[in-house]
Amino acid sequence: AQSVTQPDIHITVSEGASLELRCNYSYGATPYLFWYVQSPGQGLQLLLKYFSGDTLVQGIKGFEAEFKRSQSSFNLRKPSVHWSDAAEYFCAVGERGSNYKLTFGKGTLLTVNP
Amino acid sequence: EPEVTQTPSHQVTQMGQEVILRCVPISNHLYFYWYRQILGQKVEFLVSFYNNEISEKSEIFDDQFSVERPDGSNFTLKIRSTKLEDSAMYFCASRERDLGTYEQYFGPGTRLTVT
């Protein structure tokens, strides 16, 4: 069965600093990978996705992620964090044979210091 | 931009009561999902629904749970006899046909509190 690991439960960065959130997955075939963001009390918003092709994908709000098959990773990055980026971030893998149901990681809570 | 909507935003119920959570998926979408997130934990898949039938369900989705698309627009999750451990945020999601995007659009969630 597929699984997703987000090793960092909580990360604190200063506004303007760069950010990298880690995600490792376990999946037998080529994965469909997603990053979602959840602000307090809100639903899940898709930041970006990877299906195939270019391994560096661009998303909304200035985020990008790089798929590295050799490391089974799909880390999320942003060069300069804004205070409004404070939220919880979830990495997920979609399973092809199951209507692409999503398996989520436990999430990384991002705190941004002024 | 079209979006998935869910009602109510918060539901409080007593243990043993039946609850129905409602979702209106994006209109041209064909695949529908329910997920739940217990406070402080990760989002978990409950069930997927396509062509008016369940296509897959998790071990969480036992006989107390059911889903229905009663009128071609709404998608409901019913919990027949709620337990304390059913307290969670329930998310509905929908996806269009297999055109290569495969992304699921999530609603804002219904927070279910069982007392």
Side-chain angles (χ1 to χ4, degrees), chain A residues 4 32 34 36 38 41-44 46 49 51 88 90 95 97-107, chain B residues 31 33 35 37 41-45 48 50 55-56 89 91 95 98 100-108:
Chain A
V4 176
Y32 288 178
F34 305 83
Y36 284 86
Q38 184 182 33
Q42 302 297 309
L44 296 162
L46 180 68
K49 58 188 182 284
F51 299 130
E88 188 142 27
F90 293 93
E95 184 175 354
S98 297
N99 280 330
Y100 303 96
K101 71 173 183 183
L102 297 176
T103 298
F104 285 84
K106 292 186 177 180
Chain B
Y31 298 86
Y33 307 82
Y35 294 82
Q37 183 183 30
Q41 299 187 24
K42 66 179 179 180
V43 178
E44 301 173 288
F45 168 78
S48 59
Y50 171 71
S55 45
E56 183 167 350
M89 180 74 91
F91 292 106
R95 176 170 75 81
D98 291 339
T101 58
Y102 309 111
E103 62 186 88
Q104 295 177 27
Y105 293 81
F106 282 79

Side-chain angles (χ1 to χ4, degrees), chain B:
Chain B
E1 184 177 326
E3 58 182 19
V4 177
T5 59
Q6 291 184 243
T7 54
S9 57
H10 191 189
Q11 172 98 42
V12 181
T13 190
Q14 289 191 326
M15 196 167 52
Q17 295 296 305
E18 175 183 286
V19 294
I20 297 176
L21 309 183
R22 291 183 167 79
C23 168
V24 179
I26 295 172
S27 62
N28 64 335
H29 285 190
L30 300 178
Y31 298 86
F32 312 108
Y33 307 82
W34 282 101
Y35 294 82
R36 79 169 185 192
Q37 183 183 30
I38 295 172
L39 188 64
Q41 299 187 24
K42 66 179 179 180
V43 178
E44 301 173 288
F45 168 78
L46 290 179
V47 65
S48 59
F49 191 87
Y50 171 71
N51 201 24
N52 283 319
E53 60 183 22
I54 290 174
S55 45
E56 183 167 350
K57 57 185 180 180
S58 73
E59 58 187 24
I60 302 168
F61 194 91
D62 62 22
D63 291 343
Q64 294 299 313
F65 290 87
S66 62
V67 290
E68 197 177 36
R69 190 156 159 79
D71 56 13
S73 61
N74 291 284
F75 179 50
T76 62
L77 174 69
K78 182 194 292 186
I79 308 175
R80 204 178 339 270
S81 178
T82 50
K83 308 185 193 79
L84 294 176
E85 54 264 37
D86 294 327
S87 295
M89 180 74 91
Y90 289 80
F91 292 106
C92 173
S94 69
R95 176 170 75 81
E96 62 183 339
R97 73 178 74 188
D98 291 339
L99 292 176
T101 58
Y102 309 111
E103 62 186 88
Q104 295 177 27
Y105 293 81
F106 282 79
T110 292
R111 179 164 297 285
L112 176 65
T113 302
V114 182
T115 62

